[in-house]
Amino acid sequence: MLEIPKNIPPQQSPANEPLDLNKLKIIFKRNWLWLVVLFLVINSIAYLKVRYTKNVYESSSELKLDIKKEATEFGIKPTVEDPNLNLLSGEIELIESRLFLGRVLDSSDLNVSYFSVGRVLNDELFQSAPFVVRYKAQNESSFNAPIHLDDTGNDEFTLQVGDEGQKAAGRYNSKVSLNGVDLYIEKNEAFKKGDEIGYFFVLNTRDALLGYLLRNLTAEPLNFNANTLRISFKDNNPSKATAILNKIDSIYLHYSYEQKNLANKQKIDWVSNELVNIEHKMEDFENYFENFTLQNKTNNLDEDLKKTVSAINRLDSQRYELTNKIVEVNTLMEGLKTGDLFISLTQLHALPPTIAKNLEQLEDLYRDQEKLKLSYKEVTFAYRQRQKDIETLRDKSGRQLEEQRAEWIKRLEQINQKKARLEHEFVNIPDKSTQFSKNLRFYKLYEQFYLSLMQSKSEFEITQAGSVPDYKILSPANLSYTPISPNKLMITGIGFVGSVVAMLLVVGLLYVLNNKITSLLDIERVTSVPMLGVVPSSRHFTKNGLHVLDHPKSMVSEAIRTLRTNLDFFNINGQRKVIAVSSTVSGEGKSFIALNLGAVMALSKKKVVLLDLDMRKPKQNLPVNVDDTTKGISTVLIRKNTWQECVSTTALANFDYIPSGPHPPNPSELLLNGEFEELLNNLKTQYDYIILDTPPVGLVTDGIMAMKRADISIYIFRANYSKKDFVLNLQRIININKFSNITTLLNALPSTGEQSYGYGYYEEPGNRPWLKKIFNT
C-alpha cells in the first residue's frame, strides 16, 4: 500500500536552491535568438561609438612658478602675504579665469572656424583653409551656425546658413551680405583639395569661444613643493590644440607679471593719492594758522585773554573817575549859577590848574564882597566895582567848566566804546581758541599720518622692486598625433563585456522569474510524494490521442508502459482497481496520460474502462465515436441511464469509454451521492481497471471527490508548464484530505538533457542535425 510520509520537508527558499543547469540550459535555448540580438545590438553601439566619434588630441606644457623676494635683503619685512604661499592655487584660478582667457582671445585669430565636410565626419581646417573670411557684422544672427560655401566656378560661390537658412551668391574678394553680416572672402590658392565633399565656416561669438576654451583647458599642479604646473588643452585638431596652448603659455607669463606688479602698483598709487590729499589739507591748516596770527597778532590766546581783562578793568577805573569829575563840575556849575560857591579840595585837584585858580579867585572875590558889604553900601563904586569883577570872573569860570565837562563827557563815551569792543573780543576769544586747538590737533594727526604713509610707500616701492616673478616653461606645448579619446580598444572591450554581462543578466533574470517545473528535482525538492514516473515530450502527432497505438516504439509509449509496470509496485491488483488521474490546472496532460495508460493496460489483456468525470468540459479528439452525447456519467448518476447504456467501445479491445454526458448544474454534488460509489462498485465487477479522468483540482472540487473514491491517484505535472506552486497545492490537498494513496508524474519532460531517460534507441531520430540538436527544447 502506498504510504505518504507525514513529515513533509519544508520548501527550500529560492536563495538556497542549487543552480539548476538544465533549467538554465532550457532558458538559454528558448531565448538564444534574443540573446544574440542583444549581443549584436550592444556591440553595434560600441562600433558606432568608435566609428562616429571624432578623435580628441591633447597638447600639454609644464611651467615652474617662483617669486624672488629680494626686498628682504634690505632688512625690510614683507608688507604682504608670502607670494609663494598658495601660489599654484591662485595661478590655476588665474589661468582658468574668463578675464585671462579673454586676453588670449584678443591675441588669437579664432573668430572664424573652417571645416571640411567628409563622407562620415567633418574636420576642422586649422591654418589650412581653402578660403579666408573677414567680416563686419551688424548683428550676430548668423553666428555659431555653419555657413556652407559652394564654389560654383569663375571665382563665384554661394553661401547658405545651415541646411535650410538664407542663401546668398557672391564673388571672391568682393563684399557679400548675409543676414546683416558683410563678408569678404579671399580664395587660398595654395590650398590643396582632398577627398572632402564640401566646406563650411562658423563665425564664433566671444561667449562661444570663451566656453570652448573653458571646456578644453585644464590646469593642474604637478608638484606643490616645486611649484610646478601642468597646462593642457584638448581639441579634435592636434595643431590647433598646440597653437592655442602655446598662445596661453606666452600670454600667461606676461599677464601674470602684469598682475603681480599691478597689485603693488595699485597700492603705491593709492598711497600717493592719499599723500597728495593730506598735503592739500595740511596746506589749508598752515594757511589758517598764518592768517590767525596775522589777524590776532598772536598765536597765544590765553595771554591775550588776560590782557583784555586788564584793559577792561583799566577802562572801568577811568570811567569811574571821569564820572565823578563830571558830577563835581555839575556841582560847581550849579554853585556858580546860585552864587553859593564852595570849592572842596577834591574838586580843586580834579580840575585843571587854570580853572581851579579862577575858581579860587572867584571865591576870594566873594569873600571880599562880603567884607565890603559891611563897610560900604551896594551903590558905592567900590562895591559895584567888586560886583563887576565877580560877574566877569564867574562868567569866565562857568564857560571854562562847561568846556571841561564837555571834554570829559566825550572822553567817557570813547572809553565806553573801547570797553564794548574789548568785551566783544573777550567773548570771541574762547571760540577762536577752541577752533585753533582743534585745527592744530588735526594738523598734527595729518602730519603723523603723512609720515606713516611716506614710510609705507617707500616700503611698497622697495618690495615691488624686490619681488620678481621667476616663471619658466619647463616643457613647451607638445604636438601629439596620438588621440587621447576615444579609446577604441576600451570601448570595444566594454561593448563586448557589456553585451556578455547583459546576456547573463537577462538569462539570470529569466532564471529567477521562471517559476515553472523543469525537472524532477523541482518536485522532489518540495514534496516527498512518490514519483510514479516521467513521460517525455513527443514530437509526434496523434489524431485520436492513443499514442501507444500510433507510435508504439516511441519514448512516450515506452514511458507509459513503464508507468503501468510501476503501478504494480503500488499494489494495483486484486481489489485495488480504481485509478484517478488529476492535475492542478487543465493542459498538464492528465487526459492524455489517462487515455494511454488505459490503452497500455488493455494491451496487457486487462479489461479497462475510462470514465470522463469532467462534466463541465467534455473531452474532444477521443478514440471512440460517441453516438449520443445526451448520455454519460451525469445521466448515470441521476439514474436516467445505466452505465451499460452509456459505455462506448474503442478501437482497442478491452478498452471502454464512458463520456461525461450533458453538463449538470451540480457536478460536485453528483459525485458526493451514493450513485457514484455504486457506479464504481458495479464497474469493478466488470473491469480489471477503472481509470477516472478528473477535472483539475486547482479549479473545482470535483477532482477531490473522485480522488477520494480512487484506490490510487496519479497527480500530473507538466514540465515547463506547471508552476512550482502547484507542488505546494498538491501538498495542501494531501494535508487537508489526508490522502495516503497519491503519487506524482512528470509529463512532457524534454527528451534531451540531464533529466531525460534516454529512450532514443526506439523510434526517435538519433542523429539529428547539430543545429537542431543544440537548439531543440
Side-chain angles (χ1 to χ4, degrees), residues 753-772:
E754 297 176 355
Q755 303 301 326
S756 65
Y757 279 0
Y759 295 100
Y761 56 85
Y762 285 94
E763 285 185 346
E764 307 301 330
N767 296 321
R768 289 180 293 158
W770 64 271
L771 190 60
K772 290 186 177 180

Side-chain angles (χ1 to χ4, degrees), residues 127-143:
Q127 295 179 343
S128 61
F131 48 84
V132 178
V133 177
R134 295 181 176 82
Y135 65 91
K136 183 181 295 182
Q138 284 79 34
N139 57 68
E140 296 183 348
S141 59
S142 299
F143 279 54

Side-chain angles (χ1 to χ4, degrees), residues 461-476:
E461 290 175 343
I462 294 174
T463 302
Q464 181 183 11
S467 299
V468 181
D470 187 16
Y471 294 174
K472 299 176 182 176
I473 299 178
L474 300 179
S475 174

Side-chain angles (χ1 to χ4, degrees), residues 25 168 179 184 206 213 254 358 446 498 562 648 704 754 771:
K25 186 176 180 181
N179 280 354
Y184 301 87
R206 189 174 181 83
L213 293 179
H254 179 69
N358 292 334
Y446 279 119
T562 303
S648 301
I704 302 297
E754 297 176 355
L771 190 60

Side-chain angles (χ1 to χ4, degrees), residues 276-294:
V276 171
N277 293 332
I278 293 174
E279 286 176 354
H280 291 162
K281 291 179 180 178
M282 291 179 67
E283 287 179 1
D284 293 340
F285 281 116
E286 289 171 354
N287 293 332
Y288 167 80
F289 295 139
E290 182 178 355
N291 294 330
F292 185 88
T293 303
L294 293 175

